[in-house]
Amino acid sequence: MATIRQRPNGNWECVIRSSKLPKPHYSTFNTEKEARDYADILELAISQNNIPETLLSRQTSNSPVTVGSLISVYLHESGSVSVLDKEVFRILRSNPPLFDVRVDALSLGWADNWVKSLKQDQRLAPGSIRKRVGALARCFDWHLRKQVIIQNPLRLLPRGYSSYAPGDGPQRVDDERDRRLSPDEEIRFRKVLERDQDYLKSIGRERLITETHLEAWRLLFELALESAMRLREMYTVHIDQVDIGKRTIFLDKTKNGDKRQVPLTTVAIGALTDYGLDREGLLFPFWGGGEPLQKVTSRLSRKFSTIADLAQAPDFRFHDLRHEATSRFYERTQLTDLQIAKITGHKDLKMLRRYSNLRGSDLADKLW
């Protein structure tokens, strides 16, 4: 039923003929092994009457099924797409060559070449490569379960695929930002957010660039420093998600798409109580529900950069508050890695390994 042959250009062609298909199905691969593996999978699917929709649709429609169409259907119909994956797909949408790839051209060779292009052409860090590959792989998995495609070549990539090889050009490694907030900087941030005129005069900035929602910004700063919540997680929180009695904030959908119960310190409880919760709607006034979240996040990040500049910490980013809060959990508590991960929402405990050095003295105390 399958014919495997090498073409003059060196590629390998797989031709599948079956009475269950409207016409012969052709696919091209970089190696003979890829072609034979594909043929084995497809022949098994046809024999079990599990013919992928793409084989039928591409035979009866003038519009071939592409990676772009798979992503569009996945985003529209799947209820399990995380916020992070949606952001990745928005980035990938700016790369038309990827979206135009036909589904019948997907193979391990294609996956290898795509990863190479992310390194050699776009010069992405390994972490960014893993995010893009992971998001697209989850999309392919979803279509694989629905028998729209018959294989997911991204799951065949070797371990360490995102690391740079000698032939990929200058090496790139993941940039693990470890900017801490010094005690003096924290004091200056609070003076800016409290509109301390003496301080602002001392730096020649008597007038704050914008004074709107200053009270909300003070709470945002405090919550970030006390809970390690992400910026988007906080400005999308509704007041009814805050439970002062149980000292928690319930996040129903986080960056990773998971639910999370965030415990609150007494400092955070005090800040929330002073802010006031005797109303309905969102906790913060920064988002009305209609504006795209990415746009809101960018706007708030720019505003925080202005605040950081006034606090004489121009290189400090809002996300650094999450790093600072996580560091303090390690320095000030005896919580385990797993317990801290439940608070911060880190899905991979490996992400917390860089904080382990903060407890070096604790480990030394346990030795004889």
Side-chain angles (χ1 to χ4, degrees), residues 88-104:
V88 171
F89 287 131
R90 276 195 287 271
I91 296 172
L92 293 179
R93 199 178 294 276
S94 63
N95 183 12
L98 170 65
F99 272 57
D100 292 339
V101 173
R102 294 170 62 119
V103 170
D104 56 10

Side-chain angles (χ1 to χ4, degrees), residues 164-178:
Y164 275 64
D168 293 326
Q171 294 290 302
R172 283 216 60 186
V173 296
D174 290 326
D175 180 19
E176 292 188 345
R177 187 173 172 83
D178 57 359

Side-chain angles (χ1 to χ4, degrees), residues 245-306:
K246 294 182 178 178
R247 294 179 53 180
T248 59
I249 291 180
F250 175 69
L251 302 179
D252 57 357
K253 193 163 187 180
T254 66
K255 173 183 176 181
N256 295 323
D258 296 333
K259 298 178 180 180
R260 188 164 96 249
Q261 198 89 356
V262 181
L264 300 173
T265 65
T266 54
V267 175
I269 291 293
L272 284 164
T273 303
D274 292 342
Y275 182 71
L277 304 174
D278 54 344
R279 60 188 184 281
E280 297 181 351
L282 292 166
L283 178 62
F284 293 100
F286 305 124
W287 178 58
E291 189 179 5
L293 295 177
Q294 185 69 24
K295 189 175 180 180
V296 179
T297 300
S298 297
R299 173 164 52 82
L300 293 179
S301 295
R302 289 194 300 271
K303 168 61 179 174
F304 185 79
S305 294
T306 300

